[in-house]
Amino acid sequence: NAGVMQNPRHLVRRRGQEARLRCSPMKGHSHVYWYRQLPEEGLKFMVYLQKENIIDESGMPKERFSAEFPKEGPSILRIQQVVRGDSAAYFCASSPANGSPLHFGNGTRLTVT
Amino acid sequence: TQLLEQSPQFLSIQEGENLTVYCNSSSVFSSLQWYRQEPGEGPVLLVTVVTGGEVKKLKRLTFQFGDARKDSSLHITAAQPGDTGLYLCAGAGNFGNEKLTFGTGTRLTIIP
């Protein structure tokens, strides 16, 4: 029973490039959450999605960041025109329903050079 | 903005000793969760406490939720090297787990 799968595990981008982070939730889970963890800081909520719907994006920066969870395929967190401050570990979590425990993936570590 | 402060930030103790980690906030949470995170991995849920004053035990780990549901503690008895890791508390609001507020973390090292 595969857990939450994130890829790539490590991603290096130059300033100004685009970063695409993928998350496949656990089988049977239709709720996906993205969190960001900066060095020596706790995880910060970014966005909560269900299939084809963004439920809560109050933690997402207003510019350059977007997320989707299409009917088919993984959830995608997209960061356009990356800057050094975007360097962080991005974690995806999934659950079968709101209120159920979250299962986290192992994260994508983004480094912007 | 809800904030969760954890203390201590770093803790290094000898194998066999006992320890307590604290998670404090000025905000009320509907539930509080404790996670452990290993280097290079995502957080793994240890326990969820829901009721004010609730105490849950998981082998050598004892979790307590404050009466006012603003704070929590994690007590480890007879610590072992396998307990080494980053411990995170996270508070949930009234609408479920969709927007957890994570604490700053306690990095625990158990010395054999």
Side-chain angles (χ1 to χ4, degrees):
Chain A
N1 187 16
V4 177
M5 303 300 292
Q6 290 189 248
N7 68 83
R9 288 298 307 274
H10 300 273
L11 182 62
V12 179
R13 284 287 178 267
R14 291 198 185 98
R15 276 181 299 171
Q17 291 185 319
E18 179 180 289
R20 277 181 179 247
L21 288 62
R22 293 174 185 77
C23 169
S24 296
M26 285 183 70
K27 188 176 180 181
H29 288 195
S30 59
H31 298 243
V32 165
Y33 317 79
W34 286 92
Y35 284 79
R36 177 165 64 176
Q37 187 174 38
L38 293 168
E40 303 305 322
E41 290 189 18
L43 285 84
K44 301 281 191 238
F45 168 80
M46 298 183 74
V47 63
Y48 163 41
L49 310 104
Q50 292 182 33
K51 282 286 187 183
E52 300 184 277
N53 287 307
I54 296 174
I55 307 302
D56 185 339
E57 57 181 347
S58 58
M60 287 266 276
K62 293 287 185 284
E63 297 177 353
R64 300 188 298 107
F65 285 72
S66 62
E68 63 176 6
F69 188 17
K71 188 176 179 181
E72 302 289 339
S75 175
I76 306 286
L77 179 66
R78 182 182 177 206
I79 311 173
Q80 295 178 288
Q81 299 174 335
V82 295
V83 300
R84 288 224 172 99
D86 297 332
S87 295
Y90 291 82
F91 289 95
C92 170
S94 72
S95 70
N98 190 17
S100 299
L102 270 58
H103 297 260
F104 281 85
N106 285 333
T108 292
R109 276 142 191 87
L110 173 66
T111 302
V112 179
T113 61
Chain B
T1 303
Q2 296 177 314
L3 290 173
L4 276 169
E5 297 283 342
Q6 286 187 241
S7 61
Q9 189 176 357
F10 298 95
L11 183 58
S12 184
I13 63 170
Q14 292 289 138
E15 181 177 359
E17 292 184 356
N18 302 332
L19 66 108
T20 302
V21 174
Y22 299 94
C23 175
N24 296 300
S25 175
S26 57
S27 304
V28 176
F29 293 98
S30 63
S31 68
L32 201 134
Q33 302 168 18
W34 283 92
Y35 292 81
R36 189 168 88 185
Q37 185 177 18
E38 305 285 351
E41 298 182 9
V44 175
L45 179 66
L46 296 174
V47 78
T48 301
V49 284
V50 178
T51 307
E54 182 176 3
V55 176
K56 277 192 175 177
K57 293 198 173 191
L58 190 66
K59 296 184 181 177
R60 293 176 295 101
L61 279 60
T62 301
F63 303 85
Q64 186 162 8
F65 201 10
D67 291 339
R69 291 188 287 131
K70 291 182 180 181
D71 52 80
S72 181
S73 64
L74 158 60
H75 182 79
I76 301 179
T77 305
Q80 298 178 2
D83 296 328
T84 294
L86 177 67
Y87 288 82
L88 298 162
C89 63
N94 291 328
F95 300 101
N97 292 333
E98 72 273 15
K99 199 164 151 181
L100 294 175
T101 299
F102 275 85
T104 46
T106 293
R107 193 165 295 279
L108 176 64
T109 302
I110 308 302
I111 303 165

